[in-house]
Amino acid sequence: MTTFGGNGYKKFSINPDTQAMLEIARREGIETVWDRLAKQEPQCGYCNLGTSCRICAMGPCRVDPFGDGPQKGVCGADADIIVARNLARMIAAGASAHSDHGRDILETLHLVGEGKGGVYGISDPDKLKRLAAEYGIPTEGKSDQEIAAELAWEMMEDYGMRRKKLPMAARAPAARQAVWENTGVYPRGIDRENVEALHRTHMGVDNDWVNILLHAVRTGLSDGWGGSLVATELSDVLFGVPTPKASNMNLGVLKADQVNIILHGHNPMLSEVIVAASQDPELLELARSKGANGINLAGLCCTGNEVLMRKGIPMAGNHLMQELCIITGAVEMMIVDYQCIMPAVTETAKCYHTKVISTFDKAKFPGAEHISFDPARGLEIGKEIVRKAVENFANRVPERVYIPVEPVPMMTGFSVEAIVGALGGTPEPLVNAIKEGAIRGAVGVVGCNNPKIKQDLGHTELTKRLIENDILVVVTGCATVADGKAGLMVPEAADLAGPGLGAVCRALGIPPVLHMGSCVDNTRILVLAAALANYLGVDISALPLAGAAPEWYSEKAVSIGAYVVASGIYTVLGTAPPVFGSPNVVKLLTEGLEGVFGATFAVEPDPNRAAVLIRRHIERKRAALGLPALDPDSIAMPEPALALF
Ligand code: XCC
Ligand code: SF4
């Protein structure tokens, strides 16, 4: 129902496929995320500033830090406390989401250890043994199954209260761990930090806003060096460590003559068996008998990133494409697990023949068919679901099928193992390229889409500015699809990079923008940063690195931001977090953290300006390491220019 016609859709997205589908949505009278955003406007100013509170029944309260309205809530909480509590709760929700995803993978490893893993097994015994060694588990003479059982048992302790420190946090340089110790934020137990965050932010517990934020940091660290890392590492053990491969992106990966199944959400457990089921000869024959030339899988969001990294399954889109995929009329089924799945998708699906199948008991959707996922019966359930999709091909209305674009090629699969492998088994060539200045530094461009920002503009503009200035970019999550669709993730994109980075990419045959996975896989970036720092014998905060989340929307992104900064990496946010109602909190996040963690947040919606902030930061870090560096002030800051909204 988006009211813009023709070129008006350029206001919402840089992508031709999005623009084309918005026109179909208008014609068909289908509501999208952009329509619903417009209906919400103007959004609440108190909530935007973070100064509204509804955590107890004496409220809800709003404080008015810049006006002459109330300065305190009913309990006496001021703007600082309310903003800090709200931010801590966002971080706890995000960290809980990642960590509970990790728990689901861990439970699967446990089942494998008990010999009840059904179709699941150990895909990478070497990584299993490396992790076992890290947890002090002797492996000699033991079967993979025995090791899996013991490792699962040990990792379950990471969630509880028996540890003083999370074991995998020891991958960080000693200097970084000392920072965490000295500030009292070394993460202990994953669930413990999350529950404590909820406890502290209950009315009348932690009334010191700095103390609240320090615990929020610890909660974030329990995600980055705990829950998310469990998810990444054990997914590699169960499903394989990703290796470089070619794939495709955008709505053009849907095939008009095949059964199309979209995999949406975050957890790779089910999608891995769907990949197997989609190759089942009997189901392929069934598809042929229905007139389809095959069964085509395509990913969305982070489940898409997972199967892209490991299996090369193409991606139909990122966060803001979830409704638009269905509007192609070519999707027989959308299989969802959890996180980032808009409740709206089942409404959109009602306008088409698309079936939405929910699969996790903790994530049900009115309007979807629920098929409860049980790892022990994995493949059986996978085949049952794929069969339904194939049968649904008969209900497709060919006249309504519209796939607006051709797919764009990209390269995926850059796990830390793969990157080090591509470098010849040691980080040395990368370190040397950085030392010499051919590569100035590296930046993780990560995170979501947000309809408040023109879709993918923040990601792609920032990435282009960075690579053309010889800064290597690594991407995860929805940023991947943005840069992939823009053609930045093929080796030929070396031509878009500066001369130094371009030459390195050509020599190695890699793109200047490397795909490192889903959002839990931001831990791969942490682990790589830690490995580089350890190799050089410095703290992570000394390295010429930065993070950016140009279009973030999710609580998970806030948790990621917290652990990235607390790990010593300067991070620029495109979307403003709800903290501006407390000048004290803003000052702490953007300045004060430097003295504590050696890194801060910045907020800069204009990607061209964000690129300059990052380039200046990288040159400062280079100079401090005694490497050839530009004068940061010689990098001119452009006026805000891009129409983002
Ligand atoms: Fe969700 Fe992970 Fe954000 Fe994309 S990037 S919108 S969190 S799918 Ni993680
Ligand atoms: Fe209001 Fe305080 Fe209750 Fe929040 S905790 S709703 S500020 S009384």
Side-chain angles (χ1 to χ4, degrees):
M1 283 192 304
T2 319
T3 42
F4 287 77
N7 285 345
Y9 301 115
K10 287 187 177 163
K11 175 176 161 34
F12 302 116
S13 172
I14 64 167
N15 298 304
D17 55 355
T18 310
Q19 293 162 8
M21 296 326 291
L22 284 175
E23 171 59 19
I24 307 288
R26 186 192 60 82
R27 254 193 257 151
E28 304 262 329
I30 298 169
E31 189 180 76
T32 69
V33 64
W34 287 275
D35 299 308
R36 294 187 298 272
L37 173 62
K39 286 183 187 163
Q40 286 293 333
E41 278 165 351
Q43 289 177 314
C44 172
Y46 293 99
C47 293
N48 259 327
L49 293 171
T51 54
S52 54
C53 181
R54 38 149 284 271
I55 65 174
C56 92
M58 295 191 286
C61 305
R62 296 171 300 184
V63 311
D64 183 14
F66 308 120
D68 43 20
Q71 300 297 306
K72 292 197 169 143
V74 176
C75 67
D78 60 12
D80 297 338
I81 297 179
I82 292 175
V83 165
R85 274 197 309 225
N86 288 339
L87 187 64
R89 286 195 164 203
M90 285 186 93
I91 290 173
S96 294
H98 283 148
S99 302
D100 201 46
H101 164 177
R103 185 195 328 270
D104 286 332
I105 310 279
L106 174 52
E107 285 195 312
T108 305
L109 182 77
H110 184 235
L111 284 176
V112 169
E114 289 192 316
K116 297 177 194 156
V119 68
Y120 300 105
I122 303 300
S123 290
D124 194 317
D126 292 336
K127 188 148 189 172
L128 175 71
K129 292 197 181 86
R130 286 205 300 280
L131 282 164
E134 197 173 352
Y135 277 78
I137 300 166
T139 54
E140 233 184 77
K142 288 181 193 159
S143 69
D144 288 351
Q145 187 184 326
E146 286 167 319
I147 301 170
E150 286 186 51
L151 179 63
W153 197 251
E154 273 302 314
M155 282 186 146
M156 284 176 181
E157 294 288 6
D158 291 3
Y159 282 82
M161 59 185 281
R162 286 178 50 185
R163 299 210 192 281
K164 297 275 177 284
K165 293 176 179 178
L166 284 179
M168 287 191 283
R171 294 183 188 184
R176 180 59 24 185
Q177 294 183 61
V179 168
W180 297 335
E181 295 255 18
N182 297 337
T183 40
V185 302
Y186 207 116
R188 300 159 297 180
I190 298 161
D191 290 347
R192 176 186 192 154
E193 307 310 357
N194 282 287
V195 171
E196 190 174 316
L198 293 180
H199 178 197
R200 286 194 191 214
T201 54
H202 185 279
M203 149 46 200
V205 183
D206 203 347
N207 290 319
D208 177 331
W209 63 273
V210 177
N211 209 40
I212 293 170
L213 290 178
L214 280 174
H215 183 73
V217 163
R218 176 154 56 180
T219 306
L221 286 169
S222 82
D223 174 1
W225 297 92
S228 278
L229 194 48
V230 169
T232 296
E233 298 297 66
L234 295 188
S235 294
D236 282 359
V237 167
L238 292 168
F239 311 124
V241 175
T243 52
K245 48 185 77 66
S247 191
N248 289 301
M249 305 212 136
N250 77 24
L251 283 183
V253 307
L254 298 174
K255 300 208 171 113
D257 61 344
Q258 297 197 16
V259 175
N260 289 304
I261 301 177
I262 301 261
L263 304 167
H264 182 12
H266 284 76
N267 187 314
M269 274 160 38
L270 176 65
S271 45
E272 283 281 330
V273 294
I274 296 289
V275 174
S278 72
Q279 292 154 0
D280 181 82
E282 194 200 318
L283 290 171
L284 286 168
E285 185 46 48
L286 182 67
R288 263 188 295 277
S289 76
K290 304 274 174 201
N293 280 330
I295 303 171
N296 181 44
L297 303 183
L300 266 185
C301 284
C302 283
T303 294
N305 275 290
E306 297 274 353
V307 287
L308 172 63
M309 281 285 279
R310 295 198 182 81
K311 300 280 190 287
I313 301 291
M315 276 184 86
N318 49 6
H319 187 54
L320 290 180
M321 304 302 290
Q322 52 188 293
E323 298 166 276
L324 306 184
C325 284
I326 297 173
I327 297 175
T328 61
V331 175
E332 274 56 54
M333 181 175 278
M334 176 181 280
I335 304 172
V336 301
D337 49 81
Y338 45 53
Q339 297 169 17
C340 300
I341 302 144
M342 294 186 195
V345 293
T346 49
E347 276 304 307
T348 312
K350 279 186 201 152
C351 307
Y352 292 87
H353 73 302
T354 308
K355 272 186 192 300
V356 180
I357 306 286
S358 59
T359 53
F360 276 77
D361 292 349
K362 60 182 104 182
K364 292 195 176 177
F365 292 67
E369 182 178 344
H370 188 70
I371 299 182
S372 181
F373 183 60
D374 168 8
R377 291 177 46 239
L379 189 58
E380 195 188 320
I381 294 173
K383 284 188 190 168
E384 179 193 337
I385 294 175
V386 172
R387 178 181 300 275
K388 281 179 190 284
V390 171
E391 276 162 1
N392 196 28
F393 187 75
N395 298 322
R396 187 191 281 188
V397 183
E399 302 74 48
R400 291 187 84 192
V401 171
Y402 177 54
I403 301 170
V405 288
E406 289 298 316
V408 176
M410 58 85 65
M411 226 178 143
T412 176
F414 291 96
S415 56
V416 176
E417 290 88 337
I419 292 175
V420 175
L423 295 169
T426 146
E428 196 180 327
L430 177 59
V431 169
N432 286 342
I434 293 174
K435 277 186 178 164
E436 289 154 12
I439 297 178
R440 312 303 298 171
V443 174
V445 178
V446 308
C448 322
N449 286 148
N450 184 326
K452 294 178 181 178
I453 293 180
K454 186 186 292 192
Q455 187 202 16
D456 294 346
L457 179 79
H459 294 302
T460 53
E461 286 299 313
L462 176 62
T463 303
K464 285 181 200 163
R465 291 304 87 73
L466 294 174
I467 63 174
E468 60 198 36
N469 286 292
D470 289 325
I471 294 168
L472 177 69
V473 170
V474 296
V475 288
T476 58
C478 289
T480 307
V481 182
D483 283 353
K485 281 161 86 166
L488 302 174
M489 296 175 68
V490 283
E492 299 74 40
D495 295 343
L496 302 171
L501 175 62
V504 173
C505 290
R506 275 180 218 106
L508 296 170
I510 59 170
V513 181
L514 302 179
H515 182 210
M516 292 191 78
S518 63
C519 294
V520 294
D521 292 340
N522 282 315
T523 58
R524 298 190 198 276
I525 303 177
L526 275 191
V527 167
L528 182 60
L532 292 175
N534 284 329
Y535 182 84
L536 287 165
V538 297
D539 193 356
I540 296 172
S541 58
L543 299 174
L545 304 178
E551 305 178 30
W552 74 274
Y553 93 90
S554 134
E555 292 167 314
K556 293 175 286 170
V558 188
S559 175
I560 293 167
Y563 73 65
V564 168
V565 169
S567 296
I569 301 172
Y570 171 69
T571 296
V572 183
L573 306 175
T575 320
V579 297
F580 284 88
S582 165
N584 282 329
V585 171
V586 171
K587 199 163 165 28
L588 180 78
L589 297 178
T590 58
E591 295 171 31
L593 291 181
E594 182 68 37
V596 188
F597 296 112
T600 58
F601 285 100
V603 178
E604 178 49 71
D606 185 322
N608 287 316
R609 290 169 61 85
V612 170
L613 290 176
I614 289 171
R615 289 178 58 206
R616 287 177 176 172
H617 168 81
I618 282 177
E619 296 302 331
R620 269 186 225 110
K621 291 293 170 185
R622 293 184 60 85
L625 281 169
L627 304 178
L630 301 172
D631 173 4
D633 296 326
S634 71
I635 305 170
M637 178 63 78
E639 289 302 316
L642 284 177
L644 296 163
F645 310 108

